[in-house]
Amino acid sequence: MSRKPVHLAVYDTYADWETGHATAYLARAGYEIRTAGPSREPVSSIGGLRVQPACALDEVRPSESSLLILPGADLWDTSDDLAPFARKAREFLDAGVPVAAICGATAGLAREGLLDDREHTSAVSFYLAATGYGGGERYVDADAVTDRGLITAGPTEPVAFAREIFRLLGVYEGEVLDAWYRLFHDSDAEAYAVLEKAQASG
């Protein structure tokens, strides 16, 4: 089955550890991962990884995508440089295409008003409250939250973040999804056998 690409936003200071589980296993499931930057000029992660974006943000169309992933970055909290990515997230959600945001990207979405009427989470509630957004009553103290096509998670939950992405896109379901999470989050060796069996039959 042909799938539309998953778009991974990349920008200077992006947190390279937050999306690796998700993109690696989406790629294994047959999704093309396309990086989208502010332009096509190279960017550098917090860890110093140099990435050449496959496309510029203004080239990304929701109709040509399965999902937009927004990692955290220092720039979310130190400037307005990444505001266009939050606006792109609004465009995706308005078109019915899902968005997944982790860490600082959740603050960017809060500033854009996208968390005002959706259940959501982040690092801590007061981090988002500092943005002045109107969705404080909808904050959920959980590892990751999905509400109407929008996934949010805090910086210490890249595995739960990936779990919600897999659930939303139907990459893994039921006991297989649970086993994947237990393996990578809890180092549960018994979960490996469940995944092996699923891969052998799938």
Side-chain angles (χ1 to χ4, degrees), residues 30-82:
Y31 286 91
E32 175 193 357
I33 308 299
R34 289 184 58 81
T35 50
S39 69
R40 288 181 177 240
E41 293 300 310
V43 298
S44 293
S45 74
I46 289 177
L49 299 181
R50 195 81 167 145
V51 176
Q52 177 79 55
C55 60
L57 182 65
D58 61 10
E59 299 174 71
V60 176
R61 302 285 179 268
S63 62
E64 300 170 357
S65 184
S66 292
L67 171 73
L68 174 64
I69 301 177
L70 300 174
D74 291 344
L75 286 178
W76 283 113
D77 296 320
T78 60
S79 76
D80 293 327
D81 290 356
L82 301 186

Short mmCIF file of all heavy atoms in Angstrom, two decimals, residues 30-82:
data_model
loop_
_atom_site.label_atom_id
_atom_site.label_comp_id
_atom_site.label_asym_id
_atom_site.label_seq_id
_atom_site.Cartn_x
_atom_site.Cartn_y
_atom_site.Cartn_z
N GLY A 30 7.31 1.52 6.24
CA GLY A 30 7.09 1.89 4.85
C GLY A 30 6.82 3.34 4.58
O GLY A 30 6.55 3.73 3.43
N TYR A 31 6.91 4.18 5.59
CA TYR A 31 6.72 5.62 5.38
C TYR A 31 8.02 6.28 4.96
O TYR A 31 9.07 6.01 5.55
CB TYR A 31 6.23 6.30 6.66
CG TYR A 31 4.79 6.04 7.00
CD1 TYR A 31 4.44 4.96 7.81
CD2 TYR A 31 3.77 6.85 6.52
CE1 TYR A 31 3.11 4.71 8.14
CE2 TYR A 31 2.45 6.62 6.84
CZ TYR A 31 2.13 5.54 7.65
OH TYR A 31 0.81 5.30 7.96
N GLU A 32 7.94 7.14 3.98
CA GLU A 32 9.09 7.99 3.64
C GLU A 32 9.12 9.14 4.64
O GLU A 32 8.08 9.78 4.89
CB GLU A 32 8.94 8.56 2.23
CG GLU A 32 10.05 9.54 1.85
CD GLU A 32 9.76 10.34 0.60
OE1 GLU A 32 8.71 10.10 -0.04
OE2 GLU A 32 10.58 11.22 0.26
N ILE A 33 10.27 9.40 5.23
CA ILE A 33 10.43 10.53 6.15
C ILE A 33 11.07 11.67 5.37
O ILE A 33 12.19 11.56 4.90
CB ILE A 33 11.31 10.16 7.36
CG1 ILE A 33 10.81 8.88 8.03
CG2 ILE A 33 11.35 11.32 8.34
CD1 ILE A 33 9.41 8.94 8.58
N ARG A 34 10.33 12.76 5.24
CA ARG A 34 10.84 13.93 4.52
C ARG A 34 11.09 15.06 5.51
O ARG A 34 10.18 15.48 6.23
CB ARG A 34 9.85 14.39 3.45
CG ARG A 34 9.77 13.43 2.27
CD ARG A 34 8.85 13.96 1.17
NE ARG A 34 9.26 15.26 0.66
CZ ARG A 34 10.22 15.46 -0.24
NH1 ARG A 34 10.89 14.44 -0.72
NH2 ARG A 34 10.49 16.68 -0.67
N THR A 35 12.32 15.53 5.55
CA THR A 35 12.66 16.64 6.44
C THR A 35 12.26 17.97 5.81
O THR A 35 12.46 18.19 4.61
CB THR A 35 14.16 16.65 6.77
OG1 THR A 35 14.91 16.55 5.54
CG2 THR A 35 14.52 15.48 7.67
N ALA A 36 11.69 18.84 6.62
CA ALA A 36 11.25 20.15 6.15
C ALA A 36 11.86 21.22 7.04
O ALA A 36 11.64 21.23 8.26
CB ALA A 36 9.72 20.25 6.18
N GLY A 37 12.63 22.11 6.46
CA GLY A 37 13.28 23.18 7.21
C GLY A 37 12.69 24.53 6.90
O GLY A 37 11.81 24.66 6.06
N PRO A 38 13.17 25.58 7.58
CA PRO A 38 12.72 26.94 7.26
C PRO A 38 12.97 27.26 5.78
O PRO A 38 12.21 28.00 5.15
CB PRO A 38 13.58 27.82 8.17
CG PRO A 38 13.96 26.92 9.31
CD PRO A 38 14.14 25.57 8.69
N SER A 39 14.06 26.70 5.25
CA SER A 39 14.40 26.78 3.83
C SER A 39 15.09 25.46 3.51
O SER A 39 15.03 24.51 4.30
CB SER A 39 15.33 27.96 3.56
OG SER A 39 16.61 27.72 4.14
N ARG A 40 15.73 25.38 2.37
CA ARG A 40 16.48 24.17 2.05
C ARG A 40 17.93 24.25 2.52
O ARG A 40 18.72 23.35 2.27
CB ARG A 40 16.44 23.91 0.54
CG ARG A 40 15.07 23.44 0.04
CD ARG A 40 15.08 23.16 -1.45
NE ARG A 40 13.81 22.65 -1.92
CZ ARG A 40 13.64 21.47 -2.50
NH1 ARG A 40 14.67 20.66 -2.66
NH2 ARG A 40 12.44 21.08 -2.92
N GLU A 41 18.25 25.31 3.25
CA GLU A 41 19.60 25.46 3.78
C GLU A 41 19.80 24.51 4.96
O GLU A 41 18.86 24.26 5.73
CB GLU A 41 19.85 26.90 4.22
CG GLU A 41 19.88 27.90 3.07
CD GLU A 41 20.99 27.59 2.07
OE1 GLU A 41 22.14 27.39 2.50
OE2 GLU A 41 20.69 27.53 0.86
N PRO A 42 21.02 23.99 5.16
CA PRO A 42 21.27 23.06 6.25
C PRO A 42 20.98 23.68 7.62
O PRO A 42 21.11 24.89 7.82
CB PRO A 42 22.76 22.73 6.11
CG PRO A 42 23.09 23.01 4.69
CD PRO A 42 22.23 24.17 4.30
N VAL A 43 20.56 22.84 8.55
CA VAL A 43 20.33 23.25 9.94
C VAL A 43 21.14 22.33 10.85
O VAL A 43 21.58 21.26 10.43
CB VAL A 43 18.83 23.18 10.31
CG1 VAL A 43 18.02 24.13 9.45
CG2 VAL A 43 18.30 21.74 10.19
N SER A 44 21.32 22.74 12.10
CA SER A 44 22.08 21.95 13.06
C SER A 44 21.25 21.66 14.30
O SER A 44 20.62 22.57 14.86
CB SER A 44 23.36 22.68 13.48
OG SER A 44 24.25 22.79 12.40
N SER A 45 21.24 20.41 14.72
CA SER A 45 20.51 20.01 15.91
C SER A 45 21.25 20.45 17.18
O SER A 45 22.40 20.91 17.12
CB SER A 45 20.34 18.49 15.93
OG SER A 45 21.58 17.86 16.26
N ILE A 46 20.61 20.26 18.33
CA ILE A 46 21.27 20.54 19.60
C ILE A 46 22.55 19.72 19.72
O ILE A 46 23.57 20.18 20.23
CB ILE A 46 20.33 20.25 20.78
CG1 ILE A 46 19.21 21.29 20.84
CG2 ILE A 46 21.09 20.22 22.10
CD1 ILE A 46 18.19 21.04 21.93
N GLY A 47 22.51 18.49 19.22
CA GLY A 47 23.67 17.61 19.29
C GLY A 47 24.72 17.86 18.23
O GLY A 47 25.72 17.14 18.15
N GLY A 48 24.51 18.87 17.39
CA GLY A 48 25.49 19.22 16.37
C GLY A 48 25.35 18.44 15.07
O GLY A 48 26.22 18.53 14.20
N LEU A 49 24.25 17.68 14.92
CA LEU A 49 24.03 16.97 13.67
C LEU A 49 23.60 17.96 12.59
O LEU A 49 22.70 18.78 12.80
CB LEU A 49 22.94 15.91 13.84
CG LEU A 49 23.22 14.80 14.85
CD1 LEU A 49 22.06 13.82 14.88
CD2 LEU A 49 24.51 14.07 14.51
N ARG A 50 24.26 17.89 11.46
CA ARG A 50 23.96 18.80 10.35
C ARG A 50 22.99 18.11 9.41
O ARG A 50 23.25 17.00 8.93
CB ARG A 50 25.27 19.13 9.62
CG ARG A 50 25.19 20.33 8.70
CD ARG A 50 25.32 21.61 9.48
NE ARG A 50 25.56 22.75 8.60
CZ ARG A 50 25.07 23.95 8.83
NH1 ARG A 50 24.35 24.18 9.90
NH2 ARG A 50 25.35 24.96 8.02
N VAL A 51 21.85 18.74 9.15
CA VAL A 51 20.81 18.15 8.32
C VAL A 51 20.49 19.06 7.14
O VAL A 51 20.31 20.27 7.31
CB VAL A 51 19.52 17.91 9.14
CG1 VAL A 51 18.41 17.39 8.26
CG2 VAL A 51 19.81 16.93 10.27
N GLN A 52 20.44 18.46 5.96
CA GLN A 52 20.02 19.17 4.76
C GLN A 52 18.54 18.89 4.54
O GLN A 52 18.17 17.77 4.18
CB GLN A 52 20.81 18.67 3.55
CG GLN A 52 20.41 19.29 2.22
CD GLN A 52 21.00 20.68 2.03
OE1 GLN A 52 22.21 20.84 2.12
NE2 GLN A 52 20.14 21.64 1.76
N PRO A 53 17.65 19.86 4.78
CA PRO A 53 16.22 19.59 4.60
C PRO A 53 15.89 19.16 3.17
O PRO A 53 16.46 19.68 2.21
CB PRO A 53 15.57 20.94 4.93
CG PRO A 53 16.57 21.63 5.81
CD PRO A 53 17.91 21.22 5.28
N ALA A 54 14.98 18.22 3.06
CA ALA A 54 14.54 17.77 1.74
C ALA A 54 13.67 18.81 1.06
O ALA A 54 13.59 18.87 -0.17
CB ALA A 54 13.78 16.46 1.87
N CYS A 55 13.01 19.64 1.88
CA CYS A 55 12.15 20.68 1.31
C CYS A 55 12.04 21.82 2.31
O CYS A 55 12.40 21.69 3.49
CB CYS A 55 10.77 20.12 0.98
SG CYS A 55 9.87 19.44 2.38
N ALA A 56 11.54 22.94 1.84
CA ALA A 56 11.28 24.10 2.69
C ALA A 56 9.86 24.02 3.21
O ALA A 56 8.98 23.42 2.58
CB ALA A 56 11.49 25.39 1.91
N LEU A 57 9.63 24.62 4.36
CA LEU A 57 8.31 24.56 4.99
C LEU A 57 7.20 25.02 4.05
O LEU A 57 6.13 24.42 4.01
CB LEU A 57 8.30 25.41 6.26
CG LEU A 57 7.00 25.41 7.06
CD1 LEU A 57 6.71 24.03 7.62
CD2 LEU A 57 7.07 26.45 8.18
N ASP A 58 7.45 26.07 3.29
CA ASP A 58 6.39 26.59 2.43
C ASP A 58 6.07 25.68 1.25
O ASP A 58 5.09 25.90 0.53
CB ASP A 58 6.69 28.02 1.95
CG ASP A 58 7.97 28.13 1.14
OD1 ASP A 58 8.55 27.09 0.77
OD2 ASP A 58 8.39 29.27 0.86
N GLU A 59 6.87 24.63 1.06
CA GLU A 59 6.58 23.64 0.03
C GLU A 59 5.72 22.49 0.54
O GLU A 59 5.24 21.67 -0.26
CB GLU A 59 7.89 23.05 -0.51
CG GLU A 59 8.83 24.05 -1.15
CD GLU A 59 10.15 23.39 -1.51
OE1 GLU A 59 10.17 22.58 -2.47
OE2 GLU A 59 11.16 23.65 -0.84
N VAL A 60 5.53 22.42 1.85
CA VAL A 60 4.81 21.30 2.46
C VAL A 60 3.30 21.54 2.36
O VAL A 60 2.80 22.59 2.76
CB VAL A 60 5.22 21.12 3.93
CG1 VAL A 60 4.41 20.01 4.59
CG2 VAL A 60 6.71 20.83 4.03
N ARG A 61 2.59 20.54 1.82
CA ARG A 61 1.14 20.61 1.68
C ARG A 61 0.50 19.50 2.50
O ARG A 61 0.87 18.34 2.35
CB ARG A 61 0.74 20.43 0.21
CG ARG A 61 1.36 21.44 -0.75
CD ARG A 61 0.72 22.81 -0.63
NE ARG A 61 1.33 23.76 -1.53
CZ ARG A 61 2.35 24.56 -1.21
NH1 ARG A 61 2.86 24.51 0.01
NH2 ARG A 61 2.84 25.40 -2.07
N PRO A 62 -0.47 19.82 3.34
CA PRO A 62 -1.15 18.77 4.11
C PRO A 62 -1.70 17.64 3.24
O PRO A 62 -1.66 16.47 3.63
CB PRO A 62 -2.28 19.53 4.82
CG PRO A 62 -1.77 20.93 4.94
CD PRO A 62 -0.98 21.16 3.69
N SER A 63 -2.19 17.99 2.06
CA SER A 63 -2.78 16.97 1.17
C SER A 63 -1.75 15.97 0.67
O SER A 63 -2.12 14.90 0.16
CB SER A 63 -3.44 17.66 -0.03
OG SER A 63 -2.48 18.39 -0.79
N GLU A 64 -0.46 16.29 0.83
CA GLU A 64 0.60 15.42 0.37
C GLU A 64 1.37 14.79 1.52
O GLU A 64 2.49 14.34 1.37
CB GLU A 64 1.56 16.22 -0.52
CG GLU A 64 0.89 16.81 -1.76
CD GLU A 64 1.78 17.79 -2.50
OE1 GLU A 64 2.91 18.06 -2.03
OE2 GLU A 64 1.34 18.29 -3.55
N SER A 65 0.74 14.76 2.71
CA SER A 65 1.43 14.30 3.90
C SER A 65 0.53 13.41 4.75
O SER A 65 -0.70 13.56 4.74
CB SER A 65 1.89 15.50 4.73
OG SER A 65 2.63 15.09 5.86
N SER A 66 1.14 12.49 5.49
CA SER A 66 0.41 11.67 6.46
C SER A 66 0.44 12.28 7.85
O SER A 66 -0.45 12.04 8.67
CB SER A 66 1.03 10.26 6.54
OG SER A 66 0.83 9.54 5.35
N LEU A 67 1.49 13.08 8.12
CA LEU A 67 1.70 13.58 9.48
C LEU A 67 2.80 14.63 9.45
O LEU A 67 3.77 14.50 8.70
CB LEU A 67 2.14 12.43 10.39
CG LEU A 67 2.61 12.76 11.81
CD1 LEU A 67 1.43 13.17 12.69
CD2 LEU A 67 3.33 11.55 12.43
N LEU A 68 2.67 15.65 10.31
CA LEU A 68 3.73 16.63 10.54
C LEU A 68 4.24 16.44 11.96
O LEU A 68 3.47 16.49 12.92
CB LEU A 68 3.20 18.06 10.37
CG LEU A 68 4.17 19.19 10.72
CD1 LEU A 68 5.37 19.20 9.78
CD2 LEU A 68 3.45 20.54 10.69
N ILE A 69 5.55 16.19 12.09
CA ILE A 69 6.18 16.03 13.41
C ILE A 69 7.00 17.27 13.73
O ILE A 69 7.86 17.67 12.93
CB ILE A 69 7.09 14.78 13.45
CG1 ILE A 69 6.29 13.51 13.12
CG2 ILE A 69 7.76 14.66 14.82
CD1 ILE A 69 7.16 12.26 13.06
N LEU A 70 6.76 17.84 14.90
CA LEU A 70 7.48 19.04 15.35
C LEU A 70 8.29 18.72 16.59
O LEU A 70 7.72 18.55 17.68
CB LEU A 70 6.50 20.17 15.66
CG LEU A 70 5.61 20.66 14.52
CD1 LEU A 70 4.59 21.67 15.05
CD2 LEU A 70 6.44 21.27 13.41
N PRO A 71 9.61 18.61 16.49
CA PRO A 71 10.43 18.38 17.68
C PRO A 71 10.64 19.67 18.48
O PRO A 71 10.42 20.77 17.98
CB PRO A 71 11.76 17.88 17.10
CG PRO A 71 11.83 18.50 15.74
CD PRO A 71 10.40 18.61 15.26
N GLY A 72 11.08 19.50 19.71
CA GLY A 72 11.45 20.65 20.51
C GLY A 72 12.72 21.28 19.98
O GLY A 72 13.43 20.71 19.15
N ALA A 73 12.99 22.50 20.42
CA ALA A 73 14.19 23.24 20.03
C ALA A 73 14.32 24.44 20.95
O ALA A 73 13.32 24.99 21.41
CB ALA A 73 14.10 23.71 18.58
N ASP A 74 15.55 24.86 21.20
CA ASP A 74 15.75 26.07 22.00
C ASP A 74 15.04 27.26 21.39
O ASP A 74 14.54 28.14 22.11
CB ASP A 74 17.25 26.37 22.12
CG ASP A 74 18.00 25.35 22.97
OD1 ASP A 74 17.35 24.58 23.70
OD2 ASP A 74 19.25 25.31 22.88
N LEU A 75 14.99 27.30 20.07
CA LEU A 75 14.40 28.45 19.39
C LEU A 75 12.91 28.65 19.68
O LEU A 75 12.40 29.76 19.53
CB LEU A 75 14.60 28.33 17.87
CG LEU A 75 16.01 28.60 17.34
CD1 LEU A 75 16.06 28.40 15.83
CD2 LEU A 75 16.48 30.00 17.70
N TRP A 76 12.22 27.58 20.09
CA TRP A 76 10.81 27.76 20.43
C TRP A 76 10.62 28.75 21.57
O TRP A 76 9.60 29.43 21.65
CB TRP A 76 10.18 26.42 20.82
CG TRP A 76 9.86 25.50 19.68
CD1 TRP A 76 10.44 24.30 19.40
CD2 TRP A 76 8.84 25.68 18.67
NE1 TRP A 76 9.88 23.72 18.28
CE2 TRP A 76 8.89 24.55 17.82
CE3 TRP A 76 7.91 26.67 18.41
CZ2 TRP A 76 8.03 24.40 16.73
CZ3 TRP A 76 7.06 26.52 17.32
CH2 TRP A 76 7.12 25.41 16.49
N ASP A 77 11.62 28.82 22.46
CA ASP A 77 11.48 29.65 23.66
C ASP A 77 12.31 30.93 23.63
O ASP A 77 12.20 31.75 24.54
CB ASP A 77 11.87 28.84 24.89
CG ASP A 77 10.95 27.67 25.13
OD1 ASP A 77 9.73 27.83 24.93
OD2 ASP A 77 11.44 26.58 25.49
N THR A 78 13.13 31.09 22.61
CA THR A 78 14.04 32.25 22.60
C THR A 78 13.76 33.24 21.47
O THR A 78 14.38 34.31 21.44
CB THR A 78 15.50 31.77 22.49
OG1 THR A 78 15.68 31.02 21.28
CG2 THR A 78 15.89 30.92 23.69
N SER A 79 12.86 32.89 20.56
CA SER A 79 12.56 33.80 19.44
C SER A 79 11.23 33.40 18.81
O SER A 79 10.61 32.41 19.21
CB SER A 79 13.67 33.72 18.38
OG SER A 79 13.55 32.53 17.62
N ASP A 80 10.82 34.16 17.82
CA ASP A 80 9.61 33.84 17.06
C ASP A 80 9.95 33.16 15.74
O ASP A 80 9.08 32.99 14.88
CB ASP A 80 8.82 35.12 16.76
CG ASP A 80 8.25 35.76 18.02
OD1 ASP A 80 7.91 35.01 18.96
OD2 ASP A 80 8.17 37.01 18.06
N ASP A 81 11.19 32.73 15.59
CA ASP A 81 11.64 32.17 14.31
C ASP A 81 10.84 30.94 13.88
O ASP A 81 10.69 30.68 12.68
CB ASP A 81 13.12 31.78 14.39
CG ASP A 81 14.05 32.98 14.46
OD1 ASP A 81 13.55 34.13 14.38
OD2 ASP A 81 15.27 32.78 14.61
N LEU A 82 10.34 30.18 14.85
CA LEU A 82 9.65 28.94 14.51
C LEU A 82 8.13 29.09 14.44
O LEU A 82 7.42 28.10 14.20
CB LEU A 82 10.03 27.84 15.51
CG LEU A 82 11.53 27.53 15.59
CD1 LEU A 82 11.77 26.34 16.50
CD2 LEU A 82 12.13 27.27 14.20
#
